[in-house]
Each structure stands twice: as structure tokens, then as C-alpha cells.
Amino acid sequence: MTSGAPPSRHSGPPEQPVIDRSVLGEWLAGDNSAIDELLTVFRDSVRAEQTRMCEVLALRDLREFASAAHRLRGAALSMGARALAETAGTLYAMARAGDAAGCAGGMAELAARIHLMVAEIPAAAP
């Protein structure tokens, strides 16, 4: 494991927002306070799911890893965090295929996506 900021594949600005707040704006009628509250809950949920994924991967329980990745993907899609959802979806597919090494390697990308997402949420908070 490394410390500090996670590596980035891109040298320029991201191609899409880390969190597309317009997705939530449609659900919550543009109520920024409610959006910020929901994003805070989402952030905490993502961190818990990431911890769970690390735990079950250490146990080599790819079935539970796949379930956690699938939950994370769905939650990320519903919140407009498309890149995070894509990474979770890739991890899900690898787990379903029995690729423990791929899952372990993919956790770095997941951590990078989560890092970017977490950094964006406080900026949105009042």
C-alpha cells in the first residue's frame, strides 16, 4: 500500500464530473441542502463498502466481494458517480470470473475513485 494521493491516469481535467449533481437535483427538486445530506450519507456508505470489500478479499471470499462491488456500483450509479460505478462494475465482473488477483489489483483504482469522490463532497457542503 502507498500513502499520499492516489495515482491518476489522466494529466488533464476529468472527462466527466466525479459526481453529477444534476442526477440528484432531479430527484430532490434542486434542494442543495438535501443533496449535500444525501452525498454525506453516500460518502459514508461508500467508505464502509470499501472496507467490507477489503475484508472479504483478504478472506478470498469472491462471492461476497462480488456482492459488495455490485451494491457499490448500483449506489454510485444512482448518485451520478459514473466513474466510480464503472470501476465497481469491473471489480464485480472480475470477482464473478474468479479473478482474485485482478480484484486485488483493481482495489487501487477503486481507492483512487473514492478519494476523488470524497474530495468533491466537502466542497459541496454548506
Side-chain angles (χ1 to χ4, degrees):
M1 303 225 123
T2 61
S3 61
S8 175
R9 291 185 187 176
H10 309 287
S11 60
E15 294 127 17
Q16 59 186 354
V18 175
I19 298 170
D20 183 353
R21 290 176 65 97
S22 69
V23 170
L24 300 174
E26 291 175 20
W27 284 10
L28 300 170
D31 182 343
N32 286 325
S33 179
I35 291 169
D36 291 341
E37 285 181 43
L38 189 57
L39 286 174
T40 299
V41 170
F42 174 62
R43 178 194 62 212
D44 296 344
S45 172
V46 166
R47 286 176 169 161
E49 207 67 73
Q50 179 187 23
T51 297
R52 178 73 180 143
M53 291 171 75
C54 289
E55 291 170 352
V56 298
L57 187 58
L59 297 171
R60 300 188 65 80
D61 184 347
L62 292 183
R63 178 178 284 193
E64 181 55 33
F65 184 91
S67 293
H70 190 264
R71 287 189 302 268
L72 180 57
R73 180 184 178 277
L77 281 174
S78 70
M79 300 299 284
R82 291 181 189 95
L84 178 58
E86 180 181 322
T87 300
T90 299
L91 289 169
Y92 169 76
M94 285 190 284
R96 295 277 305 196
D99 184 0
C103 291
M107 289 301 288
E109 178 69 20
L110 182 70
R113 297 288 186 195
I114 292 171
H115 177 80
L116 291 172
M117 185 263 316
V118 167
E120 191 167 292
I121 290 174

